[in-house]
Amino acid sequence: MRLWNALVAVTLIGVADTAYLAWTHLFGTEVACFGGGGCEAVQASRFGTLAGLPLGYLGLGFYATVLALASLGRGHPAARSVTLGALFPLTLSAAVFSAYLTGVQRFVLADFCSWCLVSAAVAATLFGLTLALVWRLPSR
Amino acid sequence: MNPRRSILLSGTILAVVLAGVLIYASSQGGRAATDTGAAPVQGAALGNPAAPVLIEEFADFQCPFCGRFSRETKPQIVETYVQPGKARFVFKHLAFIGPESLWAAQAAECAADQGAFWPYHDKLFASQAGENRGAFAKDRLKAFARELQLDAARFDRCLDGDETLARVRADVEEAQKRGIRSTPAFYINGKAAVQGAQPFEQFKAAIDPLVAGGR
């Protein structure tokens, strides 16, 4: 149960992080960047959107989906196997894509967006928690 | 197969496919596209010379916000005002971020000499990657010209010979005289109107009264 609680709690951090980015894009307000000032430049770059959609919105959609699945698994033990079947590929692909985007910030743009780095850390943690939960499933 | 093994195996395959699609889309994404349509093109100017509204953009090809404007807002401006002949859009260089800004601006003018300013402009904004890190090194700028099927020998001569440097410098001096300090900056009918990569509605609010009233 503790792992499921942690999954929900960490997902909420991702929701808050990407909701802030989506909100700044929606209302055209400046992103308050901590630990450096690359947030605006990274988001305005060609890597800041995917098929025309700003990554903040995409991230928010991802975390909202994970939150729904994690809440379902936390509250309904009978549904955990199915829930983890969806969570595992979702969190793994998000962790890989976030690692790619972190590489883009480091090696292509030479600029960092702190909110994006938080999201990358959250995505990696979610994958780790999901893997631990899958590992705990009965072997038969 | 037990559930754990099944999730790990099918989940990993699904995740690899999903991540691959996302990474591919990200590396291809954000391409700027100036649909000139039937609008007349004269170098870096697009649209009817007698249009009641003149929009001047001062920009740097390395500036990410200029890229964002080019991808997100300009297509709507071109479609709504330039193609129907209500406005003329002119791109002017405020190359200030570094040497690659200047080379990119010169290269765009070399492309303009071959009637390809806008495709080259789109290519530059679609190829932004940091500042002065080689994205717009001269060899890459020449490769863009080949990709766009321009006359390569003529383009290389133009870029290497600084044939368009004076033209770029004239734009930069004009921007300095107008007191522009950041990009993108927009003048509409000679007056400072919009600063930064603002949404289409801000441009609409500035342009519509002029379309209705004439220059």
Side-chain angles (χ1 to χ4, degrees):
Chain A
M1 194 65 181
R2 275 166 61 186
L3 277 178
W4 284 101
N5 286 340
L7 194 68
V8 171
V10 174
T11 307
L12 284 171
I13 298 172
V15 169
D17 182 278
T18 49
Y20 173 68
L21 288 178
W23 182 77
T24 57
H25 187 276
L26 193 63
F27 295 102
T29 55
E30 198 173 323
V31 180
C33 208
F34 55 91
C39 296
E40 292 274 1
V42 170
Q43 287 200 83
S45 80
R46 66 194 170 100
F47 297 99
T49 56
L50 194 74
L53 189 71
L55 286 182
Y57 297 116
L58 190 78
L60 185 57
F62 163 74
Y63 288 119
T65 307
V66 171
L67 185 64
L69 289 167
S71 304
L72 185 69
R74 181 176 170 271
H76 300 85
R80 283 181 182 170
S81 182
V82 176
T83 311
L84 288 171
L87 279 172
F88 184 78
L90 269 179
T91 55
L92 176 55
S93 55
V96 172
F97 186 53
S98 297
Y100 157 79
L101 289 174
T102 304
V104 164
Q105 289 174 73
R106 167 69 181 83
F107 298 108
V108 180
L109 301 175
D111 227 339
F112 286 100
C113 154
S114 41
W115 297 95
C116 313
L117 295 179
V118 168
S119 177
V122 167
T125 308
L126 288 180
F127 172 64
L129 289 169
T130 305
L131 185 63
L133 284 165
V134 170
W135 212 253
R136 288 185 170 196
L137 282 175
S139 57
R140 293 213 169 264
Chain B
M1 195 183 287
N2 71 52
R4 184 202 299 169
R5 202 167 158 186
S6 160
I7 288 173
L8 290 175
L9 193 70
S10 56
T12 303
I13 294 169
L14 196 59
V16 166
V17 173
L18 237 148
V21 169
L22 288 171
I23 291 170
Y24 177 77
S26 172
S27 67
Q28 298 294 307
R31 293 195 184 285
T34 305
D35 180 8
T36 54
V41 176
Q42 286 177 309
L46 178 64
N48 175 14
V53 179
L54 173 66
I55 307 164
E56 294 166 286
E57 177 191 10
F58 286 86
D60 184 313
F61 286 114
Q62 288 200 97
C63 143
F65 293 95
C66 303
R68 174 184 274 183
F69 166 78
S70 179
R71 287 187 296 272
E72 296 182 5
T73 311
K74 187 162 67 61
Q76 253 181 301
I77 293 176
V78 170
E79 189 188 341
T80 312
Y81 300 107
V82 178
Q83 286 184 357
K86 295 173 186 169
R88 180 172 169 84
F89 191 99
V90 179
F91 184 99
K92 294 190 172 180
H93 303 284
L94 177 45
F96 73 105
I97 293 176
E100 291 188 25
S101 296
L102 191 62
W103 297 337
Q106 287 178 253
E109 290 300 324
C110 289
D113 287 348
Q114 296 189 41
F117 176 85
W118 293 104
Y120 201 90
H121 155 284
D122 294 347
K123 180 70 192 166
L124 288 170
F125 279 130
S127 307
Q128 283 184 330
E131 295 173 358
N132 302 307
R133 293 169 52 82
F136 298 153
K138 286 192 175 179
D139 284 350
R140 297 235 333 151
L141 295 170
K142 289 173 185 174
F144 294 161
R146 281 156 181 76
E147 209 177 300
L148 294 171
Q149 298 183 326
L150 304 185
D151 179 336
R154 188 178 157 199
F155 184 91
D156 294 358
R157 210 168 41 244
C158 173
L159 188 60
D160 290 333
D162 287 335
E163 287 177 17
T164 57
L165 182 59
R167 222 184 295 166
V168 172
R169 283 199 172 140
D171 279 357
V172 174
E173 278 169 25
E174 186 183 341
Q176 286 167 343
K177 274 183 197 157
R178 293 193 195 191
I180 301 170
R181 293 181 178 278
S182 62
T183 54
F186 301 89
Y187 275 64
I188 297 179
N189 283 359
K191 290 179 186 160
V194 180
Q195 183 64 50
Q198 303 298 338
F200 175 71
E201 287 66 32
Q202 279 212 22
F203 288 88
K204 185 173 162 50
I207 296 169
D208 279 351
L210 298 171
V211 171
R215 245 192 238 194

